[in-house]
Amino acid sequence: MREETNKEYEFKDYGEQLRFKYCPICQSDSDNPDFSLNCKSKTYYCHRTGTGGKVKDLRYIDRDFYNFVIKILNETQKPLKINKKSDDNREIKQNFDKIVTSRGAKPLNAEWREYLSNRKIGEKHLDKLFRMGKNNMMMIPITDGEHVVAIKYRGINKELSCESGSQSDYFINWQHIKSRDYLIIVEGEIDLLSGLEAGYDNIVSLPFGATNVKAVTNQKHWIDEFSKIIIAVDNDEAGKKSREKIINELKDIKEKLYSVDMGKYKDFNEVLTGEGKEKIKELVDNATVAEISEEEIFTTGKDGYYMKIKGELVPITDFTLNITGYSNNYIMGTAHTLGRDKEFKAKKTDLLLSSGIVQHIGYYFGAPSTIPSFWSWILKQNLTKYIDEIEHYGIINNKYYDTTSQVICDRNDLVIQNIDSFQPLTKTEKLWLNKNLLKMRSDAIQSLVGICWALGRLHNHLAYPILELAGSTSVGKTEYAEFIVRILFGTKENIKSLGTVSAHQIRSFSSCSNITPWVLDEVKVIGHILRDKAVELVGTIRALYDNKTVNQGNTKDKLYEFKLCTPFIISGETKLNDVSFRNRTITAELKSANKGEYKVYEMLKNSDILEKMGKTALNRRLEKGSIEVERKRLQTLFPDVKDDRQLHNIKCLYSGFLALKEIVKISKDIEKQFVQYLNEIGKDSENVVQNFYELLEMVSESDKDLRSFYAIKEGKHYLWLSQLYKVIAEEHFKTNSTLELLDLRSLRKQLIKENFILNTNVSIRFYDPFTRKTKVEKAVEIVPITIFNIEKYD
């Protein structure tokens, strides 16, 4: 017995049967294997639920596990290595590698090149596929990926032969294919060259003519990796039989199979010599879904579905289905049961269990082992209803998705309004925006900060600054946040209070959309529970800023992952002072003095003009592409911004400003003021030394005796760092501070790197307030500071 281990799936090998610890059917993962796979029959069985089926059906259940299983099956099917000997010591495999090296070292000669040229085939692909063989024949080596397992010979007059012992288990040219977009299968090497000549790199040839499709059988799992399989064998009787054989071998993946109609031509080379490359492309583009005739074991009745068992139709459900869409992981539609319709959207893994079908649809009376085949049959009837599955809403691959889009998305925690529900801006509304939009706050610059932050999001989908709304109570922070959210198709429902959201919700909200933002409001750290939540929030924000993936953070067997991408607004009286957070933040300073005009507030609050403006900006982004601002231009406009992180933050707002200028007229004076403002707020960046100074200020305001860890000797300043750290940690906890507090080792290392600590190997006498005596301790010399006043102790 051999035990194999993969980073995700462990299994034990019992010859034809593999036993896995992980089961994709019941989602268990235990030392007592619950899932078995038969390598010979290509079937699986879940011992816990009694569910079984064909390996191919696993791709609808757990794609990652299916890919792993296919890899294992391919490894178990590799041919014998060369030079194996039988019991009577007779060699049963030739050393084809040696034959190729000794006989086939020369490229095709001029006669062959001229012959192929007359058939409209150039020299681009010849040397990587063929060599000169014996008797002026073209040598065609065929490989298993490691060794040559067959050698075929072809003469100019079409005479064919091969080396004794050659295998027919592998296609010609399969080893050169990299992408998995499509695969074209032809009948011979000349058609293969013709397809390559037409620009189709993903093309293979049967090794030994139309009747031998062993390569298809042997490489079935490799073929299944392709999104589309196009059969382009010869247009004669032998070719038609070959096509039927290939389709029969691949009927398990028939939804991917397409067939080329050669029309009046026999094969690709006749097409190439007759009408050229473009005609081959036309035929491939017009390939039609391959027709497969096979007896179905399931059928549809008036009151449910039936299954043919021993020649008789037996009812297996009390429902019929209208599938409206399915993806790799979900099926959705309407179930008709006992005269009632019920909409459903369910995970495929749930629907592979009888209990899951009952929960979402109705009753399944058939054997549990037939459920995978039943769903395969249902989905094959609805091939045209396959839809994409996306991780979040927003702009993906230059397309915009909201909840009305023809996609499946599991992210529904944030309210995302559909842009089709908003009409374009009218002429009157445009005039109103020109006159009043920047009066959202009486300070136009503070109005611009939030608006440009929002519109800049349409043009920057990777790392993006957090918008912080700073100010005391009753300055309009929540209304300001609502307006900014609505520009990007959210609602006030996306505004949450720090005291009411869990860490899980924070991760979930942050993974819904790369356009629509969410707001954490009422950030006022009072008490250690809110402080701890704020600290955890900062960690999530770091990951959010960098578009990281985090997990649910619980003890389940399979953690739920969140792809963090949602723009984030934070509002409250307490500033989060973590160094990493400050460098990821753009702040709108909201004060009583810069509240907006009431009539402007009323218009923005009670109309959809903000959403219409956002729709205008979004359509511009989709039609014309992102607004890109070159680094050189940024450095010219903002000469005082030296830190790359701050320059990136300013770029995001400035691109939003340029987007706004395409919608609203902005005076040169306001533009100049805004550029100056961005330059001013971007010139300073937070670092560990500044954070440490703030920690020292916190300690200086405490009742601690500073002489117990701080000393000045001969004009030089010293700290007993370990003692000071204890005091900092105590005050940090006592005051609910959100300042970043690294561990002592990391803090010391960074202060040395920033040249705040000048010398680490000194001994200094410090005062002990308990004994009222001094004692010598290991200390560090630091740059002179004025935060601590020890003269008061004299």
Side-chain angles (χ1 to χ4, degrees), residues 734-748:
K734 187 188 300 183
T735 61
N736 298 317
S737 172
T738 60
L739 287 166
E740 182 176 18
L741 182 57
L742 302 172
D743 62 272
L744 178 57
R745 183 177 180 183
S746 298
L747 178 62
R748 177 188 177 97

Side-chain angles (χ1 to χ4, degrees), residues 592-655:
S592 297
N594 65 25
K595 277 190 173 182
E597 296 181 19
Y598 185 73
K599 66 176 183 179
V600 176
Y601 166 83
E602 281 288 293
M603 178 65 172
L604 297 178
K605 187 78 173 177
N606 299 314
S607 73
D608 58 3
I609 195 168
L610 290 173
E611 290 86 349
K612 288 183 175 181
M613 183 180 73
K615 180 177 181 178
T616 302
L618 174 63
N619 287 337
R620 184 267 179 227
R621 156 71 177 83
L622 297 175
E623 291 169 6
K624 298 183 180 180
S626 296
I627 293 175
E628 298 292 340
V629 186
E630 294 182 358
R631 183 182 179 89
K632 186 176 180 180
R633 185 183 178 191
L634 285 173
Q635 291 172 328
T636 301
L637 287 170
F638 310 105
D640 294 333
V641 182
K642 305 300 181 184
D643 185 86
D644 277 346
R645 294 166 299 183
Q646 294 298 335
L647 190 67
H648 171 77
N649 294 341
I650 298 304
K651 174 195 171 187
C652 292
L653 262 72
Y654 187 67
S655 61

Side-chain angles (χ1 to χ4, degrees), residues 418-529:
N418 303 316
I419 62 169
D420 288 341
S421 62
F422 306 114
Q423 298 298 316
L425 284 167
T426 65
K427 186 176 181 180
T428 302
E429 288 169 334
K430 289 180 181 178
L431 290 173
W432 188 94
L433 287 172
N434 285 332
K435 185 177 179 181
N436 297 292
L437 179 63
L438 299 192
K439 295 178 183 177
M440 189 171 71
R441 306 295 293 189
S442 61
D443 180 351
I445 300 304
Q446 297 308 317
S447 297
L448 281 170
V449 170
I451 296 168
C452 295
W453 178 89
L455 297 184
R457 184 60 180 179
L458 300 174
H459 301 276
N460 301 270
H461 288 154
L462 297 176
Y464 193 73
I466 297 104
L467 177 63
E468 179 185 56
L469 309 183
S472 57
T473 57
S474 302
V475 295
K477 295 192 299 295
T478 303
E479 289 78 9
Y480 187 95
E482 179 189 335
F483 293 157
I484 302 308
V485 168
R486 283 175 46 201
I487 291 173
L488 295 175
F489 322 115
T491 73
K492 64 181 180 180
E493 298 300 317
N494 294 346
I495 304 176
K496 310 294 179 182
S497 170
L498 174 63
T500 62
V501 295
S502 66
H504 170 77
Q505 286 177 305
I506 290 170
R507 289 186 286 267
S508 187
F509 292 141
S510 299
S511 62
C512 289
S513 169
N514 65 3
I515 293 296
T516 305
W518 78 282
V519 183
L520 189 64
D521 199 10
E522 299 178 15
V523 178
K524 189 174 182 179
V525 180
I526 301 174
H528 300 306
I529 293 177

Side-chain angles (χ1 to χ4, degrees), residues 203-229:
I203 184 169
V204 294
S205 167
L206 296 173
F208 293 106
T211 59
N212 191 334
V213 297
K214 285 185 66 177
V216 179
T217 307
N218 181 55
Q219 295 191 271
K220 187 181 298 184
H221 300 304
W222 176 76
I223 296 171
D224 189 24
E225 295 175 10
F226 292 85
S227 301
K228 185 176 184 179
I229 298 107

Side-chain angles (χ1 to χ4, degrees), residues 135-193:
N135 303 322
N136 198 39
M137 299 182 83
M138 179 168 66
M139 174 191 284
I140 308 166
I142 300 167
T143 176
D144 66 357
E146 294 182 9
H147 299 283
V148 177
V149 295
I151 296 177
K152 177 180 178 180
Y153 296 102
R154 176 191 175 102
I156 287 180
N157 296 322
K158 298 185 180 182
E159 59 268 39
L160 299 172
S161 64
C162 66
E163 289 288 344
S164 176
S166 290
Q167 301 178 36
S168 56
D169 294 339
Y170 292 89
F171 292 109
I172 300 172
N173 193 48
W174 76 278
Q175 72 275 20
H176 296 122
I177 295 177
K178 305 300 181 185
S179 74
R180 295 294 186 267
D181 297 335
Y182 67 91
L183 178 68
I184 299 176
I185 301 174
V186 296
E187 194 174 305
E189 54 277 353
I190 301 300
D191 295 326
L192 167 67
L193 288 170

